[in-house]
Amino acid sequence: MKVLLIGAYGTLGKAVFNRLSKKNEVITAGRHSGEIHVDITDPDSIRNMYNEVGKVDAVVSATGSAVFSPLAELTPEKNEQTLRSKLGGQINLVLLGLDYINDGGSFTLTTGVMMEDPIRQGASAAMANGAVTAFAKSSATEMPRGIRINTVSPNVLEESWENLEPFFEGFTPVPADRVARAFEKSVHGAQTGQSYKVY
């Protein structure tokens, strides 16, 4: 299979790349690294990426930034960053990518534990995670040509625990490779409209 992986050089993305590249041709894309440059906050950049890559069997998003801020300090301007990247950017990967996915192909998007298990300063990220999940579940009902769409919702990663523990006290971190297996399930499996939770 030919897989387009956006965000292949982040902590999660590296694990996803290592797992998927064992069985697939993986093309990497990212804002600062990868074979192809893309800024998912810019629809024209997404269009250019797809034009350069051409037809693929799967699109995997292991990217999307979100703002972390105390609610009292969360301004519309700060929240807009989350809306443009974690939410809008990932959704635009789907809307602009439909014509580039082969019949029976798939999209896999990334969400996260905070939408169901809230943390302080996580309201903006939780909003985006929940919206991406709802979008995937709903759009699965009308995807053309047998195309599937799923999301992966990971807990905080073991590899990021040292920096993130103050925000996730009491959580049990999960290894990135375990999360990567959920992406593998989405790409190689038969299900659609699912949220694969790795908690």
Side-chain angles (χ1 to χ4, degrees):
M1 294 174 64
K2 187 177 180 181
V3 179
L4 173 60
L5 172 59
I6 301 101
Y9 292 90
T11 303
L12 176 58
K14 288 177 183 176
V16 175
F17 175 82
N18 289 339
R19 176 130 311 264
L20 293 180
S21 62
K22 294 177 180 178
K23 300 178 182 177
N24 309 282
E25 174 192 355
V26 180
I27 302 165
T28 60
R31 188 167 187 168
H32 302 295
S33 56
E35 299 168 66
I36 297 170
H37 172 82
V38 65
D39 177 358
I40 68 167
T41 68
D42 180 357
D44 285 337
S45 182
I46 295 174
R47 290 186 181 97
N48 291 337
M49 173 190 69
Y50 281 126
N51 285 332
E52 186 173 350
V53 173
K55 293 281 190 175
V56 296
D57 297 298
V59 172
V60 175
S61 172
T63 189
S65 61
V67 170
F68 289 81
S69 170
L71 186 64
E73 300 172 13
L74 182 61
T75 63
E77 291 76 18
K78 288 181 180 178
N79 197 51
E80 182 69 21
Q81 297 175 47
T82 304
L83 291 171
R84 292 182 62 208
S85 183
K86 184 77 172 184
L87 176 54
Q90 291 200 97
I91 289 174
N92 286 339
L93 288 173
V94 177
L95 299 179
L96 298 173
L98 279 172
D99 291 340
Y100 295 88
I101 294 280
N102 291 325
D103 293 0
S106 68
F107 292 95
T108 307
L109 309 179
T110 300
T111 62
V113 66
M114 289 172 292
M115 65 181 175
E116 295 183 294
D117 201 351
I119 64 169
R120 290 186 181 91
Q121 303 189 34
S124 184
M127 167 206 67
N129 290 338
V132 169
T133 301
F135 171 81
K137 183 177 181 180
S138 180
S139 63
T141 65
E142 51 182 325
M143 281 283 168
R145 299 182 286 109
I147 296 171
R148 300 177 298 104
I149 181 169
N150 298 298
T151 60
V152 176
S153 176
N155 201 340
V156 61
L157 301 179
E158 284 183 356
E159 292 81 354
S160 304
W161 185 243
E162 184 176 349
N163 294 325
L164 296 179
E165 182 180 3
F167 297 97
F168 290 91
E169 290 180 311
F171 283 66
T172 302
V174 297
D177 180 65
R178 184 175 157 212
V179 179
R181 291 176 184 273
F183 284 87
E184 182 182 34
K185 181 178 182 180
S186 178
V187 170
H188 288 280
Q191 299 175 357
T192 190
Q194 301 299 307
S195 175
Y196 297 123
K197 301 171 184 176
V198 189
Y199 300 168

